[in-house]
Amino acid sequence: MFDYCRACRLMVTCGDTTRCSKGSAETNHTQFNDVKPVLPRAMASVSEMYDVTWEEMRDKLRKWREDNHRNSEQIVDVGEELINEHASKLGDDIWIIYEQVMIAALDCSRDDLAWTCLQELKRQFPGSQRVKRLAGMRLEALEKYEDASKQYDSILQDDPTNTAARKRKISILKAQGKSAEAIRELNEYLEQFVGDQEAWHELSELYINEHDYGKAAFCLEELMMTNPHNHLYCEQYAEVKYTQGGLENLELSRKYFAQALKLNNRNMRALFGLYMSASHIAACPKVNATVKKANVKYAAWATNQINRAYQLAGRGTKENKCSVKAVEEMLESMQITMS
Amino acid sequence: LSYFCLFHSGAYCKMLLHAAKYPHCAVNGLLVAEKQKEKKKDSHSTPILCVDCIPLFHGTLALAPMLEVALTLIDTWCKENKYVIAGYYQANERTKDFRPNQFAEKVGARIAENFSEAAMIMVDSTRFTMGCYEPILTIYDHHENKWKCRDCNADCFEDWCEAQKITSALLEGRSYESLIDFDNHLDDLRNDWTNPEINKSVLHLC
């Protein structure tokens, strides 16, 4: 039985205990078997619909927390019921659940629920910076950016090293569409907090959206240096290089797609990327015969692997046959243009 | 030359389901139309029917390699099904941002190379409601290397009432949770980007 790891997005066998290298956390793969509801949503409770106990609901919330999953509607469904029906059983877990549910509630415009969670947290942790930040996030959700900014500034007055408050201020700039300012602030932040991977990744995305691929590549290089085993960073770097274009960047992208595959041989994006970059290099009139031959070989190898992956995936499902056929034909047609 | 495209209910609803599945991300995708048998001299009077929508990516859109894979693969699939890629849609990350950006224009232009009447469609998230009271798209046509905006109203649909009814029903039922885009397909090849289950639901509601 296969499922896919929600952290690194690879297909793994259920019960797989090999390491998952998402971000900086080295944990085992996490798999989910989310049961889709068949009944209309209206009346049934989560525990009734999915036939789960409150412990399973609590564990699910924890998994989503650990993976930083943004499935806010589900978190609200499960979390709200847990809080309303089983608060007494949760012990000290309830506070972190309040925080998680509050943020999810903001995502779903459930200000009523967010407010309730916030009040509980304020009561339990008066004067806490962490709770102050949550109050700020609520103001952001209500688009009261000036008030939110003031809230974060007051946190920073008490604690100038509070990274969460600084990052929220940058998020406000992003929400307001002030990309150039967000980029500037984030660069300043990273000069001080050079090890903050989340920030480097955010910066690379901001640069990509501004089509500044050179600077995006730099951010990803930082991430690859500190996380040499992370196949996702390798693969994203390769995509940026490919997008930059030009023979040199294409060759670099092919190398990094190959590296990503070495780190994780089931990364389909890396496999497709290897195929595309090798094909383009082989088709380029500027390359000499040796380089062309080598890249034709790489592309052929990739074709083989892609076809195999599709065959494996298509086993047993009639509908997937169209995908398999389409891929085969696509690869065949590209072979023709290459030679 | 006035050509315009008509949206089939299934195509419209899948666009909105895609945007609803990833409210915090930019999303994009392709629209496909049935290939016209022959190009008649007076073909400007025949509307192009967008029969289906293939959701592509969510999150960071502006990278080339996977987009190229998707375009090539879907193009091959289209040829088998006598379809042609007729349009590109995009919903930006920020709700209030409903104008096409440089990336959308690039992709649109690329599609227009193969299909001159290609449309670029932007989703206006500020008017996105569960009830789907009005069409929330803005359509851009390619005129002399520029994109010209055209309003989207009920006339742009094969049957707006049906499209509204179906889209609203599927949103209420949270069908977007099972919508598959090309990103999901790359995560797990078994995920089918033609969305046969959703297509079935659409047919049931027709």
Side-chain angles (χ1 to χ4, degrees), chain A residues 150-165:
Chain A
K150 286 202 192 106
Q151 182 83 341
Y152 299 133
D153 283 335
S154 91
I155 296 177
L156 287 167
Q157 255 190 352
D158 289 339
D159 177 12
T161 65
N162 190 306
T163 56

Side-chain angles (χ1 to χ4, degrees), chain B residues 78-151:
Chain B
C78 277
K79 289 196 170 74
E80 270 169 44
N81 293 281
K82 309 262 190 332
Y83 286 153
V84 67
I85 297 179
Y88 169 80
Y89 74 86
Q90 186 172 301
N92 290 328
E93 188 179 3
R94 287 174 51 238
T95 318
K96 300 202 171 117
D97 190 5
F98 49 78
R99 279 164 327 200
N101 55 16
Q102 193 186 60
F103 183 73
E105 294 189 0
K106 263 196 172 148
V107 183
R110 168 89 173 262
I111 293 172
E113 279 172 25
N114 286 344
F115 186 74
S116 50
E117 292 98 345
M120 194 224 310
I121 291 140
M122 296 301 294
V123 180
D124 182 358
S125 300
T126 56
R127 294 183 289 152
F128 200 153
T129 60
M130 292 294 268
C132 301
Y133 303 118
E134 48 165 359
I136 60 171
L137 311 175
T138 323
I139 306 176
Y140 293 79
D141 303 309
H142 208 209
H143 270 296
E144 290 148 24
N145 276 326
K146 286 205 204 89
W147 290 98
K148 222 177 124 193
C149 177
R150 174 175 28 110
D151 197 31

Side-chain angles (χ1 to χ4, degrees), chain A residues 99 102-103 106 118 128-176 185 189:
Chain A
E99 183 183 42
M102 184 194 160
I103 294 175
L106 291 179
L118 186 61
S128 150
Q129 305 284 42
R130 190 160 160 177
V131 176
K132 261 185 157 176
R133 166 194 163 239
L134 290 173
M137 285 178 80
R138 180 177 165 269
L139 291 169
E140 284 186 65
L142 296 169
E143 293 183 272
K144 296 184 174 162
Y145 296 122
E146 290 238 358
D147 292 338
S149 213
K150 286 202 192 106
Q151 182 83 341
Y152 299 133
D153 283 335
S154 91
I155 296 177
L156 287 167
Q157 255 190 352
D158 289 339
D159 177 12
T161 65
N162 190 306
T163 56
R166 276 186 78 166
K167 287 197 273 193
R168 285 322 309 167
K169 287 192 75 175
I170 294 170
S171 300
I172 291 177
L173 292 171
K174 202 179 160 191
Q176 293 173 312
E185 293 288 324
Y189 170 85

Side-chain angles (χ1 to χ4, degrees), chain A residues 43-60:
Chain A
M43 293 295 142
S45 70
V46 170
S47 50
E48 282 167 20
M49 277 202 302
Y50 295 77
D51 189 22
V52 290
T53 60
W54 71 266
E55 292 104 329
E56 286 170 309
M57 288 164 70
R58 176 202 58 193
D59 293 342
K60 205 69 153 188

